[in-house]
Short mmCIF file of all heavy atoms in Angstrom, two decimals:
data_model
loop_
_atom_site.label_atom_id
_atom_site.label_comp_id
_atom_site.label_asym_id
_atom_site.label_seq_id
_atom_site.Cartn_x
_atom_site.Cartn_y
_atom_site.Cartn_z
N PHE A 179 120.87 106.12 121.66
CA PHE A 179 119.73 107.03 121.61
C PHE A 179 119.16 107.12 120.41
O PHE A 179 119.76 107.10 119.35
CB PHE A 179 120.29 108.45 122.09
CG PHE A 179 120.77 108.60 123.52
CD1 PHE A 179 120.60 107.61 124.36
CD2 PHE A 179 121.24 109.86 123.93
CE1 PHE A 179 121.05 107.76 125.74
CE2 PHE A 179 121.67 110.16 125.15
CZ PHE A 179 121.48 109.04 126.04
N GLU A 180 117.83 107.35 120.40
CA GLU A 180 116.94 107.59 119.07
C GLU A 180 116.54 108.94 119.26
O GLU A 180 116.08 109.56 120.28
CB GLU A 180 115.77 106.50 119.21
CG GLU A 180 115.01 106.37 117.84
CD GLU A 180 114.00 105.31 117.86
OE1 GLU A 180 114.09 104.49 118.95
OE2 GLU A 180 113.29 105.14 116.87
N ALA A 181 116.45 109.62 118.06
CA ALA A 181 116.03 111.03 118.04
C ALA A 181 115.03 111.33 116.94
O ALA A 181 115.12 110.72 115.95
CB ALA A 181 117.37 111.84 117.81
N ILE A 182 114.34 112.41 117.12
CA ILE A 182 113.58 112.82 116.09
C ILE A 182 113.72 114.51 115.99
O ILE A 182 113.70 115.08 117.14
CB ILE A 182 111.97 112.59 116.26
CG1 ILE A 182 111.14 112.95 115.10
CG2 ILE A 182 111.44 113.06 117.57
CD1 ILE A 182 109.64 112.52 115.12
N GLY A 183 113.96 114.96 114.85
CA GLY A 183 114.17 116.41 114.67
C GLY A 183 113.01 117.23 115.14
O GLY A 183 111.77 116.84 114.64
N LEU A 184 113.08 118.44 115.74
CA LEU A 184 112.10 119.19 116.06
C LEU A 184 112.02 120.57 115.19
O LEU A 184 111.25 121.34 115.29
CB LEU A 184 112.07 119.66 117.50
CG LEU A 184 111.96 118.37 118.31
CD1 LEU A 184 112.10 118.97 119.89
CD2 LEU A 184 110.60 117.77 118.40
N GLY A 185 113.22 120.81 114.52
CA GLY A 185 113.42 122.00 113.78
C GLY A 185 114.78 122.62 114.09
O GLY A 185 115.69 121.80 114.51
N HIS A 186 114.92 123.85 114.12
CA HIS A 186 116.22 124.47 114.47
C HIS A 186 116.04 125.92 115.01
O HIS A 186 115.06 126.50 114.76
CB HIS A 186 117.17 124.55 113.34
CG HIS A 186 116.68 125.27 112.22
ND1 HIS A 186 116.17 124.78 111.12
CD2 HIS A 186 116.90 126.56 111.96
CE1 HIS A 186 115.94 125.78 110.17
NE2 HIS A 186 116.33 126.87 110.79
N LEU A 187 117.01 126.44 115.71
CA LEU A 187 116.94 127.73 116.34
C LEU A 187 118.26 128.50 115.76
O LEU A 187 119.23 127.91 115.43
CB LEU A 187 117.11 127.77 117.81
CG LEU A 187 115.79 127.01 118.44
CD1 LEU A 187 116.15 127.00 120.00
CD2 LEU A 187 114.54 127.90 118.22
N GLY A 188 118.15 129.92 115.67
CA GLY A 188 119.23 130.67 115.45
C GLY A 188 119.73 131.27 116.61
O GLY A 188 119.59 130.84 117.79
N PHE A 189 120.68 132.30 116.38
CA PHE A 189 121.19 133.05 117.50
C PHE A 189 120.84 134.64 117.47
O PHE A 189 120.81 135.03 116.19
CB PHE A 189 122.73 132.89 117.45
CG PHE A 189 123.31 131.59 117.92
CD1 PHE A 189 123.54 130.62 117.00
CD2 PHE A 189 123.57 131.37 119.20
CE1 PHE A 189 123.94 129.29 117.41
CE2 PHE A 189 124.10 130.17 119.71
CZ PHE A 189 124.30 129.10 118.81
N LEU A 190 120.71 135.12 118.50
CA LEU A 190 120.52 136.54 118.65
C LEU A 190 121.54 137.24 119.42
O LEU A 190 122.07 136.78 120.25
CB LEU A 190 119.08 136.83 119.33
CG LEU A 190 117.87 136.33 118.72
CD1 LEU A 190 116.66 136.68 119.75
CD2 LEU A 190 117.56 136.97 117.37
N ALA A 191 121.99 138.43 118.91
CA ALA A 191 122.83 139.41 119.53
C ALA A 191 121.82 140.49 120.23
O ALA A 191 121.11 141.11 119.50
CB ALA A 191 123.80 139.95 118.65
N VAL A 192 121.92 140.58 121.50
CA VAL A 192 121.05 141.47 122.28
C VAL A 192 121.75 142.44 123.09
O VAL A 192 122.71 142.06 123.91
CB VAL A 192 120.20 140.59 123.17
CG1 VAL A 192 119.21 141.52 124.00
CG2 VAL A 192 119.33 139.49 122.46
N ALA A 193 121.46 143.76 122.92
CA ALA A 193 122.30 144.81 123.59
C ALA A 193 121.46 146.06 123.51
O ALA A 193 120.33 146.22 122.95
CB ALA A 193 123.60 145.01 122.91
#
Side-chain angles (χ1 to χ4, degrees):
F179 286 3
E180 192 170 352
I182 184 169
L184 301 174
H186 65 260
L187 297 174
F189 285 90
L190 296 176
V192 179

